[in-house]
Amino acid sequence: MSNVFEGLKVIDAANYVAGPAAAVLLADFGADVVKIEPPGAGDLYRNVPRMPNLPKSEHNWAWTMAARTKRGLALDLKHLDGQAVLHRMIAKADVFITNQSPKARERLGCSHEMLSAINPRLIYASLTGYGETGPEAERPGFDATAYWARSGLADAVRPDPNGPPAVVNMAMGDQPAAVALYAAIVTGLLQRERTGKGQWVTTSLLANGVWANAVMVQAALCGAEIPYRQPRHKAHNALTCYYLCSDRRWLSLLIMQEQRDWPRFVQAMGKPRLAQDPRFSELAQRHANAADLVQELDAVFVERTAAEWQRRFEAEGLSVGVVARTEDAVHDEQMRIANALVPAQDVPFTGLTVDSPFQVAGLRKVAPRAAPGVGEHSDAVLLDYGLTAADVAALRRDGVVG
């Protein structure tokens, strides 16, 4: 039950979400992750919860997911002395993570060429908005633009073809992109294990967005015409639709094997007359009259709560799901049992955090710890990486270390 990455030294010099979240995954499995941020205000992502129309809490929920279980080092990489400190650390590091653009890495002294020359065994992990090469390599990208909008997802999931594109939820593209970067890092570590040589591994928000929409994009690549989703009252299939229940909660209905499951569906609804209605008795008629069936089902679903309907359908062996609201996760027992939510030190209210989304049998994860303050562990980190107390004091006097 050891931590698989115990002893692995990771330097997280990325900012905002996707790169740092990949480092969280490494920390979960035992890596010693040092979060580098500028002295003073630190990573700008710390300020996200202060923005309007975002959740308000006594705890910095955004910073928790980006920096938990890490050690904090405040280091000015715009200063040549700060870059010199980074280079000393790189000599002992295993993984370096950045999301700076290629030109910015040169200015900050952390390009792949510079760091791999110092440590040929280094796994250099870079994340960009639009890729490492091409005319958009320097273009700044966020998940709302490079992942959600550029991939076609914002357009594809709109509930009405005449309505506006759907708005991305907070870090909705960053978190999956972090898993991709983690996978790239682990692949690079395996290759280093085999060859003894470091690797440069990369991913982008653009690549992850198109991967998330891969099935539809592949259809387009194969010459298919991509249809717009019709409003629910004009659904082509009434048995793969959303229905409002008496408690104002929505139920997601997904009857995939319709020919087989129609009798059980009618039984669960308690409306055997639907099976005898000539508009719906056969599959072809049900699809041809889908809008009429939606209207019929709307009148039935409002008779019971979503939870009651879920129990009735599951008793018939049919798959449905109540459309959860984000705050429902607080009381979701299955999420705790399945370790999707786990105890976390110094996180208020529930004392829980969202765990990394996979387990490895026989390996335990590190109990999540609170995200560090700006420079909270600067002295300890620099001493661990070979600097002396006098070195650290001089750097602090010059404002290079905070």
Side-chain angles (χ1 to χ4, degrees), residues 88-232:
R88 290 182 65 174
M89 295 176 68
I90 288 295
K92 294 186 175 184
D94 295 291
V95 178
F96 176 79
I97 300 174
T98 181
N99 64 345
Q100 298 290 343
S101 71
K103 290 182 180 178
R105 295 171 212 160
E106 296 285 345
R107 293 194 301 271
L108 298 174
C110 62
S111 70
H112 173 253
E113 291 76 10
M114 294 175 185
L115 302 192
S116 62
I118 297 169
N119 183 352
R121 286 178 51 82
L122 183 70
I123 304 301
Y124 185 97
S126 59
L127 183 140
T128 60
Y130 298 92
E132 293 284 339
T133 58
E136 296 181 67
E138 290 294 320
R139 184 180 177 189
F142 293 88
D143 66 340
T145 52
Y147 180 104
W148 189 242
R150 185 68 170 270
S151 66
L153 285 169
D155 184 63
V157 302
R158 66 174 77 191
D160 184 330
N162 298 313
V167 177
V168 67
N169 206 13
M170 183 76 189
M172 195 165 140
D174 289 304
Q175 295 296 130
V179 178
L181 186 60
Y182 168 87
I185 291 168
V186 173
T187 304
L189 287 169
L190 177 60
Q191 182 68 356
R192 185 180 76 170
E193 199 66 23
R194 292 175 171 174
T195 66
K197 298 178 180 179
Q199 304 292 322
W200 184 4
V201 301
T202 71
T203 191
S204 68
L205 293 172
L206 175 70
N208 282 277
V210 76
W211 175 255
N213 198 23
V215 175
M216 290 295 101
V217 171
Q218 189 61 54
L221 291 171
C222 292
E225 181 179 348
I226 309 300
Y228 273 106
R229 181 177 298 170
Q230 292 299 311
R232 60 172 297 281

Side-chain angles (χ1 to χ4, degrees), residues 37-389:
E37 52 186 325
D43 191 325
L44 291 176
Y45 193 58
R46 289 178 177 272
N47 299 320
V48 163
R50 301 174 187 170
M51 295 172 63
N53 302 319
L54 289 179
K56 303 303 176 188
S57 168
E58 64 183 88
H59 184 73
N60 193 328
W61 42 267
W63 191 241
T64 292
M65 290 310 304
R68 61 173 169 79
T69 322
K70 300 177 185 180
R71 295 197 290 169
L73 167 62
L75 182 65
D76 185 359
L77 293 181
K78 294 180 180 179
H79 197 295
L80 290 178
D81 288 344
Q83 295 176 22
V85 171
L86 174 64
H87 295 168
R88 290 182 65 174
M89 295 176 68
I90 288 295
K92 294 186 175 184
D94 295 291
V95 178
F96 176 79
I97 300 174
T98 181
N99 64 345
Q100 298 290 343
S101 71
K103 290 182 180 178
R105 295 171 212 160
E106 296 285 345
R107 293 194 301 271
L108 298 174
C110 62
S111 70
H112 173 253
E113 291 76 10
M114 294 175 185
L115 302 192
S116 62
I118 297 169
N119 183 352
R121 286 178 51 82
L122 183 70
I123 304 301
Y124 185 97
S126 59
L127 183 140
T128 60
Y130 298 92
E132 293 284 339
T133 58
E136 296 181 67
E138 290 294 320
R139 184 180 177 189
F142 293 88
D143 66 340
T145 52
Y147 180 104
W148 189 242
R150 185 68 170 270
S151 66
L153 285 169
D155 184 63
V157 302
R158 66 174 77 191
D160 184 330
N162 298 313
V167 177
V168 67
N169 206 13
M170 183 76 189
M172 195 165 140
D174 289 304
Q175 295 296 130
V179 178
L181 186 60
Y182 168 87
I185 291 168
V186 173
T187 304
L189 287 169
L190 177 60
Q191 182 68 356
R192 185 180 76 170
E193 199 66 23
R194 292 175 171 174
T195 66
K197 298 178 180 179
Q199 304 292 322
W200 184 4
V201 301
T202 71
T203 191
S204 68
L205 293 172
L206 175 70
N208 282 277
V210 76
W211 175 255
N213 198 23
V215 175
M216 290 295 101
V217 171
Q218 189 61 54
L221 291 171
C222 292
E225 181 179 348
I226 309 300
Y228 273 106
R229 181 177 298 170
Q230 292 299 311
R232 60 172 297 281
H233 65 278
K234 294 183 180 179
H236 297 301
N237 187 345
L239 303 192
T240 57
C241 197
Y242 292 103
Y243 292 95
L244 189 64
C245 304
S246 64
D247 56 353
R248 308 303 297 172
R249 302 300 294 264
W250 289 88
L251 193 75
S252 175
L253 193 63
L254 192 67
I255 310 300
M256 296 298 293
Q257 299 189 55
E258 187 179 341
Q259 190 75 357
R260 182 196 69 183
D261 292 337
W262 172 247
R264 285 192 287 173
F265 173 78
V266 173
Q267 178 70 24
M269 295 295 293
K271 302 294 179 182
R273 65 174 180 80
L274 292 174
Q276 308 305 318
D277 191 314
R279 295 175 298 169
F280 316 131
S281 57
E282 299 295 333
L283 181 64
Q285 282 77 12
R286 281 197 298 278
H287 287 180
N289 297 291
D292 289 345
L293 184 54
V294 168
Q295 189 173 8
E296 292 276 355
L297 296 179
D298 276 341
V300 180
F301 273 106
V302 293
E303 296 175 357
R304 301 178 186 273
T305 68
E308 288 177 300
W309 282 119
Q310 183 169 26
R311 287 193 292 269
R312 289 174 70 93
F313 280 109
E314 289 179 350
E316 293 292 335
L318 299 175
S319 176
V320 297
V322 177
V323 177
R325 297 165 182 160
T326 301
E327 57 268 27
D328 291 343
V330 173
H331 307 291
D332 193 319
E333 182 181 6
Q334 182 60 28
M335 287 191 181
R336 303 181 192 210
I337 294 172
N339 291 323
L341 303 177
V342 294
Q345 178 182 322
D346 296 329
V347 175
F349 192 50
T350 62
L352 298 172
T353 191
V354 181
D355 196 14
S356 43
F358 54 88
Q359 309 290 331
V360 181
L363 297 178
R364 64 182 175 88
K365 293 182 180 179
V366 173
R369 302 187 300 272
V374 179
E376 181 177 341
H377 307 101
S378 290
D379 287 25
V381 166
L382 294 176
L383 292 173
D384 285 349
Y385 273 87
L387 278 74
T388 67

